[in-house]
Each structure stands twice: as structure tokens, then as C-alpha cells.
Amino acid sequence: MEQYFKDFLNGQSIILKQMASSDLEEFIKVESEKHTLLLANDEIPFPHTVEDHSTFFQSISGKKEEFFFGIFEKTTQQLIGSCGVYSINWINSTCLVGISLSEKWHGKGLGTDAMQTLITFIFDYIAINKIKLQVFSFNVGAIRSYEKCGFTKEGTLRNEIFRFGKFHDIILFGLLREEWPPLS
């Protein structure tokens, strides 16, 4: 039991926690980066306004069917990204996850650490059997990270996203409770 208290929302190098209003400015910076706009969602990559971000930020609550966390680097306590659990299907025990990380923190293992921490939260505290996610086929770093976390490729949505002047695939991944944690 003590280990659960010690490890709750703590990764190796990151901490997942609720963002405070003092984090809004940094959150807007991360969400407005080119990499975030191009890799994090399938909308037209047009920057959101400060009001859009503020409205979203104010809607975050632990009392909803979605769980949204800030990703904070442990040593500096700096907000470096965000991740969340959404589209929970209680009947079929599934959910979707998503993550966004500031470009300057890419390639350092912090996204993988954050995703592993989020997965642990889901399987330890939510009655979920399967976690699903979608990733653009050109986001090779994210694909490697998800595979390190134990996700299995389950399918491809062909020519599903328009970026960089042409259509690209979206790859579907899944992770079952029985597959967690992955064998090292």
C-alpha cells in the first residue's frame, strides 16, 4: 500500500498533476507550438486564441468523465506538456488517451515516462480494460514511445489526415490491462 502512495502520479522524471491558474500562460505556450499544432490533433492547425485556451483550461475538472493532467518536469517543476483520459466507455471498459509535450522536451524519454504514469493511473484507479490511442503515421517518435509503453498496433485509417500538402494514415493502437506492465 505504501508504494501506491509514493508512486501516485509520479514517473521517473515527471509528475502528473492538476494545473493551476498560474500554469495557464505556460500551457498556452506549449499548445501554441508548431509541433503541438501539427502533431497533437486532427483539426486544421490554426492557433487557438487565448480565450479558447482559457475556456478549455477553466473547464478542466476532476468531477467529469475526463481526466486531464499537466506534465511537470520533476527537478524544475516546469509545465512541459499535458495528457489526458477521455471518451470513457463504461459499458465496454475502454478509453482514449492523448498527450502533448513541448518540443524542447522531445527525445528525452519524458513523453514515454508521462504515458507510462498515465497508464498506471488508469489501470490502478479506473475500471478500464483497454486503452486506445491514435497517432499520425509521420509521428515516428510518438509511435516508438507508444510501443515502448506496450501498445500494440491494431489498425490503420488510410489517408485520414491532411498535413504538409498530402494525405497521411492514422495508426490505431491499443493496450489491454492484462498486457500491463510490459515485459522488459
Side-chain angles (χ1 to χ4, degrees):
M1 181 74 89
E2 238 0 87
Q3 192 66 33
Y4 282 99
F5 285 104
K6 179 179 160 281
D7 292 341
F8 184 68
L9 300 179
N10 278 285
Q12 300 274 333
S13 302
I14 61 89
I15 299 170
L16 300 183
K17 60 184 179 179
Q18 183 75 348
M19 289 181 276
S21 55
S22 59
D23 297 315
L24 178 59
E25 187 176 323
E26 194 62 31
F27 175 76
I28 291 172
K29 283 182 193 174
V30 171
E31 292 299 311
S32 299
E33 290 179 4
K34 288 179 196 173
H35 274 73
T36 304
L37 291 173
L38 295 172
L39 300 176
N41 66 58
D42 60 0
E43 298 172 352
I44 293 175
F46 187 79
H48 293 282
T49 66
V50 171
E51 290 77 21
D52 292 338
H53 286 298
S54 296
T55 300
F56 171 78
F57 198 82
Q58 297 305 319
S59 73
I60 298 169
S61 169
K63 297 183 181 189
K64 294 187 177 180
E65 296 284 318
E66 299 181 343
F67 304 93
F68 191 76
F69 298 98
I71 304 169
F72 293 83
E73 197 274 333
K74 269 189 181 179
T75 56
T76 64
Q77 293 296 306
Q78 179 182 356
L79 177 69
I80 63 171
S82 59
C83 61
V85 183
Y86 56 98
S87 297
I88 295 174
N89 181 323
W90 295 112
I91 295 169
N92 295 307
S93 190
T94 64
C95 69
L96 291 170
V97 294
I99 186 169
S100 175
L101 196 66
S102 175
E103 179 186 5
K104 72 179 183 178
W105 297 95
H106 287 196
K108 300 178 186 329
L110 298 175
T112 301
D113 190 11
M115 184 57 73
Q116 290 172 332
T117 305
L118 183 64
I119 293 165
T120 299
F121 168 76
I122 294 167
F123 286 149
D124 282 354
Y125 300 100
I126 308 175
I128 292 295
N129 187 54
K130 182 178 182 180
I131 302 170
K132 303 183 290 184
L133 63 82
Q134 299 182 9
V135 61
F136 305 148
S137 59
F138 54 81
N139 194 346
V140 178
I143 292 168
R144 276 195 308 267
S145 175
Y146 300 142
E147 289 171 340
K148 284 181 193 173
C149 291
F151 282 91
T152 300
K153 180 180 174 184
E154 296 189 337
T156 302
L157 300 174
R158 298 175 304 135
N159 287 332
E160 188 77 9
I161 180 80
F162 187 76
R163 286 285 190 280
F164 317 117
K166 65 181 189 174
F167 287 94
H168 300 270
D169 297 342
I170 290 180
I171 301 171
L172 308 174
F173 280 91
L175 177 64
L176 301 175
R177 177 181 289 276
E178 65 197 40
E179 298 168 335
W180 182 255
L183 299 174
S184 300

